[in-house]
Amino acid sequence: NWWEKPTVIEEYKLIFFTIPKVGCTEWKRIFRKMMGMNPWIPEMGRKGDVLIQNPRTNNLTTLSDYSLADAEMMMKDPEWTKAIFVREPKERLLSAFLDKFVQEDSYFRKKCCNHHLSEDELKHCNDKVGMTDIRYFLERTQNCQDYHWGLQSETLDEKWWPYINFVGYMHSLSEDA
């Protein structure tokens, strides 16, 4: 999972963990710019957003690029900042709804309107997706887990939480960043 691979910027002794729907794409653009790269991957639009998330195509260094011993040393070194930003849960859920259910409805259809549903439920799901029925979205996501609308605390492996020494908040981004 791409979001589980924190970005490392050695020059600033920064290890940055991302959570989906908490500015991941924009953070990675900022990191590309910090590293002297074009913040935009040549393929624009939705495909460009996917490419910037993928460590194989965004040219950002991740913690998994280091040996286990080096990664452990960096994570335990108090001189390194291990940062993460979180978002107010209702805002994040609304962002997931608008992005993955209303605008990019193919994502929700593929993820949640699938073979696990009866034929009638599948038809109902496909009819609802793309509409602005947040009630259906909330009901359906109870049984269709995804990192875009799941709990923020669960998107990051619990082994990392003890090392995080900076938590920023989207509502106070300008002060926290």
Side-chain angles (χ1 to χ4, degrees):
N1 297 327
W2 301 334
W3 66 92
E4 291 178 343
K5 295 183 177 188
T7 300
V8 176
I9 303 181
E10 284 190 43
E11 179 181 354
Y12 298 99
K13 291 193 172 192
L14 173 66
I15 302 171
F16 193 93
F17 295 81
T18 56
I19 294 177
K21 305 312 300 169
V22 187
C24 291
T25 301
E26 296 310 312
W27 283 114
K28 290 180 181 176
R29 285 191 179 118
I30 290 168
F31 297 147
R32 282 178 55 86
K33 190 166 180 97
M34 288 171 65
M35 302 302 295
M37 295 181 261
N38 182 343
W40 302 95
I41 292 183
E43 291 85 352
M44 300 309 290
R46 299 304 279 179
K47 186 175 181 182
D49 287 351
V50 170
L51 293 174
I52 203 155
Q53 296 299 336
N54 187 341
R56 289 180 295 220
T57 55
N58 67 18
N59 296 314
L60 294 171
T61 303
T62 65
L63 195 58
S64 63
D65 293 328
Y66 294 87
S67 70
L68 188 56
D70 287 344
E72 186 174 325
M73 182 274 307
M74 291 167 19
M75 288 298 294
K76 291 181 176 179
D77 187 338
E79 291 185 21
W80 281 74
T81 300
K82 284 75 71 175
I84 192 165
F85 270 75
V86 294
R87 187 174 189 178
E88 197 283 321
K90 290 177 189 169
E91 284 180 12
R92 184 170 173 266
L93 189 63
L94 179 59
S95 176
F97 166 72
L98 292 172
D99 183 34
K100 302 300 179 191
F101 186 84
V102 176
Q103 294 172 358
E104 190 187 334
D105 61 1
S106 63
Y107 182 91
F108 194 88
R109 284 181 208 282
K110 183 177 178 183
K111 178 74 180 169
C112 300
C113 301
N114 53 40
H115 62 278
H116 299 293
L117 301 176
S118 71
E119 192 173 316
D120 288 341
E121 291 171 323
L122 180 60
K123 182 183 181 331
H124 185 66
C125 186
N126 279 310
D127 288 345
K128 289 288 188 177
V129 176
M131 307 299 275
T132 55
D133 188 346
I134 196 163
R135 184 181 315 219
Y136 181 77
F137 173 80
L138 294 172
E139 289 170 6
R140 185 68 198 104
T141 55
Q142 294 300 305
N143 296 319
C144 179
Q145 297 300 311
D146 185 81
Y147 52 88
H148 289 99
W149 50 80
L151 296 175
Q152 293 173 84
S153 60
E154 293 177 0
T155 60
L156 185 64
D157 192 308
E158 65 184 42
K159 70 182 175 195
W160 298 123
W161 284 110
Y163 299 104
I164 303 290
N165 57 14
F166 179 85
V167 177
Y169 300 90
M170 289 298 286
H171 69 271
S172 56
L173 180 65
S174 61
E175 295 89 32
D176 291 348

